[in-house]
């Protein structure tokens, strides 16, 4: 509003033949789309900032943080006066790329983007606020976290739009990869994101295998849904093919087609395909995780192909791919990117409308139809298992082979989040054992730690096998390995001698997830949480217990010493036991951990003896 008022004043000055400085005129002409701060005089020797909406970070801010504010103008909107999702994707990619390059100190390219769930639309006249910062740097790639919100200048209302995670790769001369310097998180939030970034990276790498595994176990036959009053629309009628010529304005500072521009073109083609099915104007709700397979340059022709893969009752999935070729048509096209977008059609009250059915084409069309159903399940798993807040996760979740990746992710990330929390307070100390507590609104968590003269890798191997826990933890009677999910995840049925209020022993079905360090400074992690297995229902002989978040973190202190810490977010059934130890009325925790140390040292010596015998 301030910019508009200033523009009106300047217009009156011009009409009155009053000379207006060129810098002020330039600001009024170009400042509407970006930051609305007046230009200031630069100090001698100060470098000129590039034009745009990005402000330099203050000393207290993460040095990789980029903040961008964009005023939504009519040229950015669709027919409803709402911000085009393609334009928003360009702004998101720009902010994320600038953040990545701040850390890398060299050009960066978009490698992938995780699922994006758009919660609200943005209207013309509102301001889009984007904040991007690097969560973690790996070898030559880094994860950038992006938060998008809108601001209504008239009412002062702020609302979240989406949260996204993008992976960028640093590139040196001639496209060579650059080894990145590590990033040191400072705040509690940054430490949590830094720790969980390794788990998100692991999930990305197995994404394709998860889809293949789900399809392998699904019926081969394509079953068309029956919907009252609706005839199936042949998928072929929704097909779209469009070509774009990559011009200099579409390229980044390296001469490659800007990733955000490619995403915007893909969104445009997908929207047309969705419109051909519903004969209405659809709204984009979700973009699935996708990867850029290769670059394209100025002068390339980009062919965008889109088709509706499957139509569910209130939503549809559109598959879209981008291929590039040069001036010579004889040269084979290069596959640049593929994406899957979910659209809905809203009625006047903002509720999703029932959509027509899709009749897939034989062959590849039926394959895409089945894959769309599998992706819908995976999207729901990721959204409600991975993205939900910790307080919204039930204590015990149903175990399913198809969602194993996301339950494992949730298991490890919950423990890493607990570890990274601030405000742990020392509650008790007995010789080498220290007990800390963390009091939050809904949970009381505790941590017990000590230093042990054993290699961290050996302690990790011993403590991750629940079948041996009864050797040092008197609360454990037995632990049966029910399912070896993979090398890093196991499910156990545990019997405890701790009596419940019903005067019966407790049993647990526990998912144990192991992780070795991703980089130097990371701990070995063994995370536990309860799951539900149809093969092991609750029995009348036991009281079924549950654990929400617990496990071990083991940090190497030297080649032959490590710090071992046990964490537990106390559930109601465990709370009395915890508070009794915290208050000093019992020393069970300390005694148990001392027994754990003896177990580790004993087995360390056994290992040395066995190696000497060999």
């Amino acid at each position: 509003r301030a910019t508009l008022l200033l523009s009106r004043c300047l217009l009156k000055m011009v009409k009155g033949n009053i000379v207006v400085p060129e810098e002020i005129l330039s600001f009024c002409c170009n400042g509407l789309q970006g930051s609305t701060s007046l230009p200031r005089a630069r100090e001698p020797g100060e470098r000129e900032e590039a034009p745009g909406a990005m402000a330099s970070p203050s000393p207290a801010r993460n040095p990789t943080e980029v903040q961008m504010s964009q005023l939504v103008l009519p040229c950015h909107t669709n027919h409803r006066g709402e911000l085009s999702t393609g334009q928003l994707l360009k702004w998101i990619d720009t902010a994320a790329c600038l953040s990545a390059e701040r850390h890398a100190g060299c050009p960066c390219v978009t490698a992938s983007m995780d699922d994006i769930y758009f919660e609200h639309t943005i209207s013309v006249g509102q301001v889009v606020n984007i904040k991007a910062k690097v969560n973690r740097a790996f070898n030559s790639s880094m994860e950038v976290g992006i938060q998008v919100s809108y601001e209504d200048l008239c009412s002062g209302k702020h609302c979240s739009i989406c949260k996204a995670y993008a992976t960028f790769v640093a590139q040196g001369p001639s496209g060579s990869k650059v080894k990145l310097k590590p990033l040191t998180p400072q705040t509690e939030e940054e430490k949590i994101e830094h720790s969980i970034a390794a788990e998100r990276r692991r999930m990305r790498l197995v994404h394709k295998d998860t889809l293949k595994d789900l399809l392998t176990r699904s019926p081969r036959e394509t079953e068309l849904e029956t919907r009252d009053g609706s005839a199936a629309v042949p998928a072929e009628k929704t097909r779209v093919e469009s070509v774009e010529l990559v011009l200099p304005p579409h390229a980044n500072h390296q001469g490659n087609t800007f990733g955000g521009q490619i995403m915007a073109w893909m969104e445009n083609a997908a929207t047309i395909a969705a419109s051909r099915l519903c004969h209405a104007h659809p709204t984009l709700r979700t973009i699935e995780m996708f990867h850029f397979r290769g670059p394209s340059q100025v002068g390339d022709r980009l062919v965008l192909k889109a088709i509706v893969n499957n139509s569910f009752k209130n939503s549809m999935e559109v598959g879209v791919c981008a291929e590039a070729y040069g001036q010579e048509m004889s040269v084979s096209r290069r596959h640049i990117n593929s994406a899957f977008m979910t659209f809905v059609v809203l009625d006047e009250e903002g509720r999703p409308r029932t959509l027509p059915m899709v009749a897939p084409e034989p062959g590849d069309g039926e394959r895409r139809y089945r894959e769309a159903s599998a992706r819908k399940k995976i999207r729901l798993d990721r959204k409600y298992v991975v993205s939900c807040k910790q307080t919204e996760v039930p204590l015990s979740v149903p175990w399913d082979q198809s969602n194993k990746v996301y339950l494992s992710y949730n298991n490890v990330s919950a423990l890493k989040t607990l570890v990274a929390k601030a405000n742990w307070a020392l509650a008790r100390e007995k010789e080498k054992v220290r007990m800390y507590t963390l009091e939050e609104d809904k949970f009381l968590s505790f941590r017990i730690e000590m230093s042990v003269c054993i290699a961290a890798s050996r302690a990790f191997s011993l403590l991750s096998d629940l079948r041996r826990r009864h050797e040092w933890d008197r609360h454990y009677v037995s632990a049966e390995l029910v399912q070896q999910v993979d090398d890093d995840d196991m499910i156990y049925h545990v019997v405890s001698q701790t009596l419940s209020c019903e005067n019966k022993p407790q049993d647990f079905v526990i998912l144990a997830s192991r992780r070795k360090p991703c980089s130097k400074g990371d701990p070995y992690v063994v995370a536990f949480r309860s799951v539900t297995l149809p093969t092991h229902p609750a029995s009348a002989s036991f009281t079924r217990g549950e654990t929400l978040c617990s496990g071990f973190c083991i940090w190497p202190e030297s080649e032959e010493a490590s710090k071992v810490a046990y964490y537990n977010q106390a559930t109601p059934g465990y709370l009395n036991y915890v508070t009794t130890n915290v208050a000093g009325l019992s020393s069970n925790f300390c005694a148990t951990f001392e027994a754990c140390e003896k177990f580790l040292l004993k087995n360390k010596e056994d290992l040395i003896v066995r190696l000497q015998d060999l």
Side-chain angles (χ1 to χ4, degrees):
R1 287 188 298 174
T3 306
L4 293 173
L5 289 172
L6 179 59
S7 300
R8 290 171 183 169
C9 292
L10 289 172
L11 184 60
K12 293 179 180 179
M13 294 170 69
V14 172
K15 289 181 177 179
N17 295 323
I18 300 174
V19 178
V20 182
E22 184 177 347
E23 287 183 344
I24 301 294
L25 281 175
S26 175
F27 164 74
C28 291
C29 294
N30 302 323
L32 285 171
Q33 293 189 25
S35 171
T36 55
S37 300
L38 280 169
R40 63 175 178 83
R42 294 192 302 276
E43 296 296 332
E46 182 181 356
R47 189 173 62 183
E48 182 178 359
E49 292 289 334
M54 182 181 63
S56 299
S58 61
R61 187 188 298 167
N62 183 317
T64 71
E65 183 176 310
V66 167
Q67 292 189 8
M68 176 183 287
S69 294
Q70 297 283 358
L71 181 64
V72 179
L73 300 177
C75 61
H76 302 140
T77 61
N78 56 25
H79 66 286
R80 292 190 297 266
E82 297 169 350
L83 174 64
S84 162
T85 308
Q87 180 63 59
L88 178 58
L89 290 171
K90 286 197 281 188
W91 288 339
I92 288 174
D93 196 48
T94 302
C97 183
L98 292 173
S99 175
E101 291 182 349
R102 274 190 174 178
H103 179 70
C106 63
C108 296
V109 295
T110 312
S112 68
M113 187 81 72
D114 287 3
D115 295 359
I116 305 178
Y117 300 94
F118 299 100
E119 299 175 20
H120 300 281
T121 57
I122 308 170
S123 301
V124 65
Q126 294 178 332
V127 174
V128 178
N129 295 314
I130 303 173
K131 183 169 72 173
K133 59 182 175 181
V134 177
N135 289 332
R136 181 162 185 162
F138 298 98
N139 206 11
S140 60
S141 67
M142 68 201 97
E143 180 191 273
V144 179
I146 308 114
Q147 292 180 327
V148 183
S149 62
Y150 80 77
E151 173 186 358
D152 191 297
L153 296 176
C154 297
S155 66
K157 178 183 177 182
H158 292 254
C159 193
S160 174
I161 298 299
C162 65
K163 186 173 183 179
Y165 296 99
T167 301
F168 283 81
V169 175
Q171 289 193 332
S174 303
S176 59
K177 290 186 177 181
V178 176
K179 185 174 178 61
L180 295 169
K181 60 186 178 183
L183 181 72
T184 304
Q186 300 297 327
T187 66
E188 177 183 325
E189 178 189 359
E190 290 173 0
K191 290 176 182 177
I192 291 173
E193 293 288 0
H194 180 273
S195 182
I196 301 177
E199 202 59 24
R200 281 191 291 263
R201 181 172 182 253
R202 183 177 186 271
M203 188 171 65
R204 292 180 197 112
L205 296 175
V206 299
H207 173 60
K208 286 185 178 179
D209 293 335
T210 303
L211 179 61
K212 289 180 181 177
D213 184 58
L214 181 57
L215 288 171
T216 301
R217 292 179 291 102
S218 300
R220 289 282 176 182
E221 296 77 17
T222 300
E223 296 183 1
L224 292 177
E225 181 187 353
T226 56
R227 213 166 290 166
D228 293 339
S230 177
V233 177
E236 181 63 27
K237 288 189 175 181
T238 69
R239 187 181 296 276
V240 175
E241 182 167 328
S242 177
V243 64
E244 298 282 354
L245 175 62
V246 181
L247 300 173
H250 303 141
N252 58 22
H253 44 294
Q254 306 161 59
N256 295 328
T257 313
F258 195 53
Q261 180 63 68
I262 296 176
M263 288 189 280
W265 282 335
M266 295 174 73
E267 185 268 341
N268 180 67
T271 301
I272 296 172
S275 300
R276 288 180 175 174
L277 174 70
C278 60
H279 299 293
H281 297 290
T283 299
L284 180 61
R285 276 287 182 253
T286 304
I287 300 179
E288 188 181 297
M289 182 189 302
F290 60 85
H291 301 265
F292 283 94
R293 299 169 182 265
S296 67
Q297 292 80 31
V298 172
D300 277 346
R301 282 72 170 164
L302 245 62
V303 179
L304 294 310
K305 297 179 179 180
I307 191 170
V308 176
N309 291 331
N310 199 338
S311 169
F312 307 100
K313 185 175 181 180
N314 300 119
S315 66
M316 67 185 107
E317 182 197 270
V318 179
V320 56
C321 74
E323 299 174 339
Y325 66 91
Q327 294 182 2
E328 298 295 331
M329 281 292 294
S330 58
V331 179
S332 61
R333 296 177 179 179
R334 309 187 309 274
H335 188 182
I336 301 299
N337 196 357
S338 291
F340 302 97
M341 304 184 184
T342 302
F343 289 85
V344 297
V345 178
L346 304 177
D347 61 18
E348 295 178 355
E349 297 180 3
R351 295 175 301 190
R353 282 171 33 187
T354 301
L355 299 175
M357 296 180 296
V358 168
E361 301 172 282
D364 283 345
E366 292 177 338
R367 173 186 57 80
R368 291 193 298 266
Y369 186 92
R370 292 179 61 248
E371 289 178 350
S373 297
R375 276 188 293 269
K376 182 178 181 181
K377 173 178 168 44
I378 290 173
R379 278 193 293 271
L380 292 172
D381 287 338
R382 278 204 296 261
K383 183 176 181 181
Y384 292 104
V385 176
V386 175
S387 304
C388 56
K389 297 178 181 178
Q390 186 63 34
T391 55
E392 297 171 352
V393 180
L395 292 185
S396 183
V397 294
W399 172 262
D400 188 296
Q401 189 70 13
S402 65
N403 66 2
K404 63 181 181 181
V405 173
Y406 315 114
L407 287 176
S408 175
Y409 167 91
N410 185 270
N411 190 18
V412 176
S413 61
L415 179 60
K416 287 185 173 183
T417 299
L418 186 61
V419 172
K421 294 266 189 184
N423 302 321
W424 285 95
L426 181 63
R428 293 189 64 188
E429 187 170 9
K430 183 180 179 183
E431 297 179 354
K432 295 191 297 181
V433 180
R434 295 171 297 280
M435 182 175 182
Y436 297 81
T437 58
L438 175 66
E439 297 184 38
E440 298 175 290
D441 291 340
K442 295 187 177 182
F443 296 105
L444 172 65
S445 304
F446 68 89
R447 164 177 118 225
I448 306 176
E449 67 179 33
M450 65 179 174
S451 294
V452 186
C453 293
I454 185 173
S457 58
R458 181 60 181 157
F460 171 69
S461 176
L462 291 167
L463 294 177
S464 61
D465 188 353
L466 285 183
R467 291 171 297 185
R468 301 196 64 178
R469 185 154 172 174
H470 69 278
E471 296 180 34
W472 58 271
D473 190 343
R474 65 180 184 83
H475 302 96
Y476 271 56
V477 174
S478 64
E480 172 196 3
L481 179 61
V482 175
Q483 186 175 339
Q484 180 79 39
V485 181
D486 51 37
D487 292 340
D488 296 321
D489 298 278
M490 292 76 68
I491 300 178
Y492 294 90
H493 179 232
V494 175
V495 176
S496 169
Q497 69 176 9
T498 304
L499 298 180
S500 66
C501 57
E502 300 172 357
N503 206 31
K504 293 190 294 187
Q506 290 184 299
D507 72 334
F508 302 81
V509 177
I510 293 177
L511 169 64
S513 302
R514 313 170 352 137
R515 298 290 187 271
K516 293 181 180 179
C518 181
S519 57
K520 187 177 180 181
D522 286 353
Y524 290 84
V525 175
V526 187
F528 307 122
R529 73 154 301 145
S530 291
V531 294
T532 302
L533 273 182
T535 56
H536 288 71
S539 167
S541 305
F542 302 99
T543 298
R544 178 57 53 91
E546 294 180 312
T547 177
L548 175 60
C549 174
S550 61
F552 292 96
C553 283
I554 305 158
W555 286 269
E557 293 184 325
S558 67
E559 290 186 359
E560 292 298 327
S562 57
K563 182 176 77 173
V564 179
Y566 176 73
Y567 294 80
N568 195 308
Q569 200 169 58
T571 55
Y574 202 53
L575 195 57
N576 182 57
Y577 182 59
V578 175
T579 54
T580 301
N581 279 264
V582 170
L585 301 177
S586 173
S587 296
N588 282 337
F589 280 170
C590 294
T592 300
F593 230 52
E594 288 168 356
C596 177
E597 179 188 24
K598 293 177 182 178
F599 165 76
L600 294 174
L601 294 177
K602 175 180 179 296
N603 285 277
K604 168 193 171 183
E605 298 301 326
D606 290 347
L607 177 63
I608 293 174
V609 170
R610 287 198 296 271
L611 291 174
Q612 289 175 346
D613 291 341
L614 294 174

